[in-house]
């Protein structure tokens, strides 16, 4: 086991009780256990390079949540990996594209805990970024069950459950780790931001931009901001098509998070009327922007690429599936005008260098079908 993994093992063993200074500690009567995987709070910083007219822009640096693998996913995994059914020794089986950040995060944190990931994957455009994620996934010993498209995922699911012996079957985790409890990571993130506003680290944002896929991050954030009484407008720039993320699914995710908060002892008076009433009472509004999806999930767009390049020129490393499209949405809205400022861009991408995990010859360990398709998937 090398240094980063050892560090993870030590932190995971520190104890699972919620720290007294954790943002959710004072709110939950019966807090569930929580691993300490992330370095929080993450900094907020000015991004004057994004300012437009009189709108000033700030960035929440969730790329700095961890030296092992940062971004938003670790906020969710802190909760999920500490609680049933994911807290045992069994492998976990989850779903994503071949370049999924969720699967890479899960593979890395599970490995630190001496456990293994079973990944049901679908093909996506094979950019150098996706190649690195896939190389890491394979090198970290994730077991891949690969199909061509999202539509064929039920097939992968069936094959996995037919071929895997029950004793070796993984415990199933929702795509993107977006469950009611996983959402606590971003409820806490909303409270964390509220504390930073109260401490004068940034002005209260009028509009927050965050990307959305499986909805747990943006829904948790809305609930956290509402609990903290930080009224603002959440602009969720979708990375996926309308059928995969929409108002209905977002409301469902909000409901799951609020239900989980009730289970763990949040004052019922605060949750009377459900998520909609909670958000309305605090002045938190939300809208979903599907204008940056382009031809589809994980297909790089010209605007997304331009946004990634613009950010890179200012030292911020984004990618073309989620955060590049989110920044493109923000820039488009600023150009059109009428955006309430100050604006905060929530950077959910962990840009840790994955090359240290990638083993030579990993391609040979890909499922044969996927190996044969990679050339045809190359997009950059
Ligand atoms: C970098 C990045 N940002 C945001 C998201 C989306 O978060 P959520 O699935 O909670 O909507 C993902 C999902 O994989 C991601 O990889």
């Amino acid at each position: 086991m090398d240094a980063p993994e050892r560090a993870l093992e030590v932190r995971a063993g520190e104890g699972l009780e919620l720290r007294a200074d954790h943002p959710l500690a004072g709110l939950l009567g019966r807090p569930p256990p929580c691993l300490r995987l992330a370095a929080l709070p993450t900094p907020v910083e000015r991004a004057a390079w994004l300012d437009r007219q009189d709108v000033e822009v700030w960035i929440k640096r969730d790329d700095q949540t961890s030296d092992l693998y940062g971004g938003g996913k670790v906020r969710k995994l802190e909760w999920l990996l500490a609680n049933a059914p994911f807290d045992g020794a069994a492998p976990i089986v989850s779903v994503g594209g071949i370049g999924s950040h969720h699967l890479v995060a899960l593979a890395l944190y599970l490995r630190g805990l001496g456990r293994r990931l079973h990944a049901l994957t679908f093909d996506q455009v094979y950019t150098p970024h996706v190649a690195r994620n896939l190389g890491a996934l394979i090198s970290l010993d994730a077991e891949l069950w690969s199909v061509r498209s999202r539509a064929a995922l039920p097939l992968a699911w069936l094959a996995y459950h037919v071929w895997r012996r029950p004793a070796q079957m993984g415990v199933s985790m929702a795509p993107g780790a977006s469950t009611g409890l996983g959402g606590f990571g971003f409820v806490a993130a909303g409270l964390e931001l509220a504390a930073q506003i109260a401490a004068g680290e940034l002005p209260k944002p009028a509009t927050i931009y965050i990307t959305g896929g499986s909805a747990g991050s943006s829904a948790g954030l809305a609930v956290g901001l509402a609990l903290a009484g930080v009224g603002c407008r959440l602009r969720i720039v979708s990375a996926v098509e309308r059928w995969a993320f929409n108002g209905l699914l977002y409301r469902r995710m909000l409901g799951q998070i609020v239900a989980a908060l009730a289970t763990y002892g949040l004052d019922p008076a605060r949750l009377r009327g459900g998520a909609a009433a909670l958000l309305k009472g605090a002045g938190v509004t939300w809208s979903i922007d599907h204008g940056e999806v382009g031809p589809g999930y994980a297909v790089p767009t010209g605007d997304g690429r331009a946004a990634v390049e613009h950010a890179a020129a200012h030292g911020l490393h984004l990618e073309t599936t989620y955060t590049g499209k989110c920044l493109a949405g923000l820039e488009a809205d600023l150009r059109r005008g009428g955006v309430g400022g100050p604006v905060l861009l929530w950077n959910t991408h962990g840009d840790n260098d994955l090359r240290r995990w990638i083993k030579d010859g990993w391609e040979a360990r890909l499922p044969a079908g996927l190996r044969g398709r990679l050339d045809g998937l190359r997009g950059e």
Side-chain angles (χ1 to χ4, degrees):
M1 190 176 275
D2 71 9
E5 288 180 71
R6 215 174 303 120
L8 174 63
E9 198 183 44
V10 173
R11 267 182 287 155
E14 259 178 19
L16 302 173
E17 261 174 45
L18 218 54
R19 304 181 307 266
D21 64 344
H22 189 285
L24 276 171
L27 287 176
L28 298 180
R30 301 176 294 279
C34 180
L35 285 167
R36 296 182 201 175
L37 302 177
L40 303 173
T42 55
V44 282
E45 68 183 32
R46 269 288 275 132
W49 52 278
L50 284 169
D51 287 1
R52 187 121 184 152
Q53 283 120 24
D54 55 351
V55 177
E56 90 179 20
V57 182
W58 291 72
I59 301 186
K60 178 70 168 161
R61 297 294 303 264
D62 264 11
D63 49 307
Q64 295 180 19
T65 47
S66 166
D67 290 341
L68 184 69
Y69 193 66
K73 298 299 174 197
V74 62
R75 289 187 182 268
K76 299 176 180 179
L77 293 179
E78 282 197 328
W79 295 92
L80 288 183
L81 295 179
N83 287 275
F86 304 115
D87 57 340
I92 289 178
V93 56
S94 196
V95 171
I98 54 174
S100 162
H101 304 120
H102 159 62
L103 292 178
V104 171
L106 201 46
L108 267 168
Y109 287 105
L110 282 179
R111 185 176 161 125
L113 297 166
R115 299 170 61 189
R116 195 165 180 220
L117 173 69
H118 296 170
L120 310 186
T121 63
F122 55 87
D123 293 356
Q124 63 183 89
V125 177
Y126 197 55
T127 63
H129 180 79
V130 170
R132 267 195 303 280
N133 286 2
L134 181 59
L137 207 55
I138 293 288
S139 304
L140 289 162
D141 240 10
E143 186 180 301
L144 253 61
W145 297 69
S146 144
V147 286
R148 280 174 195 268
S149 66
R150 277 175 287 173
L153 274 176
L155 200 67
W157 190 252
L158 195 67
Y160 176 80
H161 285 88
V162 169
W163 268 287
R164 270 260 146 210
R165 269 185 276 140
Q168 300 170 341
M169 202 101 76
V171 185
S172 172
M173 184 181 283
S178 284
T179 65
L181 184 61
F184 281 23
F186 272 86
V187 175
L191 295 160
E192 175 184 311
L193 184 74
Q196 290 174 313
I197 295 166
E201 292 179 37
L202 78 163
K204 185 171 97 60
T207 316
I208 298 179
Y209 282 77
I210 184 167
T211 177
S214 59
S217 311
S218 50
L221 183 58
V223 171
L225 292 167
L227 287 172
V230 177
C232 69
R233 179 173 164 256
L234 212 57
R235 185 80 165 141
I236 308 159
V237 183
S238 182
V240 296
E241 305 81 349
R242 272 176 211 280
W243 62 264
F245 180 45
N246 51 52
L248 210 65
L249 292 171
Y250 189 65
R251 283 188 194 91
R252 197 176 72 164
M253 193 73 245
L254 287 170
Q256 286 174 7
I257 293 170
V258 161
L261 287 168
T263 302
Y264 291 109
L266 188 80
D267 180 1
R270 302 201 68 182
L271 298 178
R272 205 167 293 134
L278 176 69
L279 267 56
K280 191 165 178 218
V284 175
T285 62
W286 54 269
S287 61
I288 303 176
D289 174 8
H290 283 97
E292 300 299 328
V293 179
Y297 171 65
V299 182
T301 58
D303 289 348
R305 279 206 188 93
V308 170
E309 279 168 27
H310 186 198
H314 296 274
L316 186 71
H317 300 287
L318 307 181
E319 41 66 58
T320 53
T321 299
Y322 287 96
T323 43
K325 288 181 177 177
C326 186
L327 176 55
L330 184 162
E331 291 189 291
D333 284 356
L334 285 179
R335 268 195 307 276
R336 276 191 290 268
V339 179
V343 164
L344 178 77
L345 170 67
W346 202 292
N347 178 17
T348 49
H349 173 51
D351 73 329
N352 310 64
D353 188 355
L354 293 175
R355 282 174 303 186
R356 64 180 159 149
W357 302 107
I358 299 177
K359 295 184 179 142
D360 288 344
W362 62 269
E363 290 96 337
R365 291 171 51 205
L366 284 169
L370 174 57
R371 202 176 330 126
R373 295 194 299 273
L374 281 186
D375 272 340
L377 293 171
R378 261 175 236 283
E380 276 183 1

